[in-house]
Amino acid sequence: LPKSKKFPVKTILAILLFKQYYNLPLRDAQHYGRKFFGANIHYSTLHNWEKKLNLEELTNHLLKKLQKLPYASTQADSTIITNKKRAG
């Protein structure tokens, strides 16, 4: 991965993955980066990073890592909540 002098690389990646997931334009990604991640990264910087990285490959890599997590480490199973509502 390239290095960033001004912002943590993890923050830049998080904003770009957020942008990719929600199919946002760069200016919206910049806005949500300020709102959710507290980082005011200019959209041109995000664009340059987006060009350097293969986000599809990175996303696939992260999904494979997430699939290896034990089930107990993930969010609650929705059927548990549904069954409790029906029983109550």
Side-chain angles (χ1 to χ4, degrees):
L1 289 174
K3 295 188 182 218
S4 172
K5 294 178 184 174
K6 195 170 182 180
F7 300 103
V9 174
K10 289 179 181 181
T11 304
I12 295 170
L13 289 174
I15 294 170
L16 288 175
L17 289 172
F18 185 84
K19 174 202 173 294
Q20 184 80 7
Y21 183 80
Y22 289 104
N23 198 23
L24 298 172
L26 282 167
R27 290 191 188 261
D28 287 352
Q30 178 187 14
H31 167 74
Y32 287 115
R34 277 192 307 268
K35 186 174 180 178
F36 296 133
F37 301 101
N40 189 16
I41 303 173
H42 197 268
Y43 71 91
S44 62
T45 304
L46 294 173
H47 174 72
N48 288 334
W49 272 79
E50 192 174 36
K51 284 174 43 178
K52 289 178 190 177
L53 300 171
N54 182 348
L55 288 180
E56 186 174 340
E57 183 180 315
L58 181 62
T59 305
N60 289 335
H61 175 74
L62 289 174
L63 287 174
K64 286 178 186 174
K65 290 269 188 189
L66 287 172
Q67 288 172 347
K68 292 180 182 177
L69 290 176
Y71 185 72
S73 299
T74 60
Q75 290 182 345
D77 186 355
S78 62
T79 57
I80 295 170
I81 297 166
T82 305
N83 291 338
K84 283 185 180 180
K85 284 183 181 178
R86 288 183 185 158

